[in-house]
Amino acid sequence: RNVGDTQRFGVETRLGWQLVRKLEMVAAHTWSQFKYVAPAAIKGHWLPNSPEHMLNLGVDYQVVPQLSLGIESELQSHWWVDTDGMASVPGFALWGANASYRWHLGETGGELSLSARNVFGASYMAFTEPDFDNTDDILVDVWNSYQPGPPQEYYARVTLSR
């Protein structure tokens, strides 16, 4: 069951530039208007976990044919935690970096990728899917789960190909 009727619309854009052969930039923006239209008690309130703006920016530079380096940012405007518009979470900006090395050895090739997210350790609130407690009361059924986002995240990936 839903809490109320909603109206949702927005625009997603992505723009990529290759300024020179070795340098590429990308920008993506999402603008959303997700609001309740009924019942009257919450009409005009934002849906929880629905920021109005999300922006991703990235720059990648190919140092040599096998090695590329990049930086990226992820920005998000504030969003509401509850349906009655009483609690919100501030917006945030996370910065990351990545490196990728491609290689060939005989007939086998591969790639080693390293990336880091939130390298400056920004404080932000993260959201996970609703936690259902198997009751029939809709106000109890759908408690969303929030927790502090990780201060930093690091990833490594290896791919092999023939």
Side-chain angles (χ1 to χ4, degrees):
R1 295 180 304 199
N2 290 327
V3 173
D5 296 329
T6 63
Q7 181 181 44
R8 304 173 194 205
F9 62 92
V11 176
E12 292 185 7
T13 59
R14 183 184 184 281
L15 191 58
W17 302 275
Q18 189 167 3
L19 302 175
V20 293
R21 202 181 94 208
K22 295 183 174 192
L23 183 65
E24 185 176 349
M25 299 173 68
V26 65
H29 178 255
T30 300
W31 173 72
S32 303
Q33 293 284 305
F34 295 175
K35 294 185 178 183
Y36 288 103
V37 293
I42 57 173
K43 184 176 181 176
H45 291 202
W46 286 83
L47 270 69
N49 317 312
S50 302
E52 184 175 8
H53 298 280
M54 292 186 292
L55 177 65
N56 291 296
L57 304 170
V59 177
D60 284 305
Y61 180 69
Q62 186 179 25
V63 180
V64 294
Q66 301 87 358
L67 176 65
S68 63
L69 303 173
I71 58 172
E72 55 201 29
S73 66
E74 175 185 342
L75 298 93
Q76 187 172 302
S77 63
H78 85 282
W79 44 273
W80 297 98
V81 172
D82 56 6
T83 56
D84 58 10
M86 298 297 287
S88 68
V89 173
F92 58 84
L94 307 179
W95 291 89
N98 60 70
S100 177
Y101 181 76
R102 290 168 295 287
W103 55 270
H104 285 87
L105 185 59
E107 293 186 19
T108 303
E111 182 175 4
L112 170 63
S113 300
L114 304 172
S115 61
R117 183 173 182 252
N118 196 14
V119 295
F120 299 119
S123 296
Y124 69 102
M125 191 61 66
F127 164 74
T128 55
E129 291 302 315
D131 178 20
F132 296 94
D133 69 358
N134 298 318
T135 68
D136 290 330
D137 183 354
I138 188 65
L139 297 177
V140 176
D141 273 326
V142 193
W143 289 109
N144 291 323
S145 179
Y146 303 93
Q147 66 280 332
Q152 281 107 13
E153 297 176 86
Y154 302 97
Y155 304 94
R157 181 181 76 181
V158 176
T159 30
L160 300 173
S161 59
R162 284 196 88 141

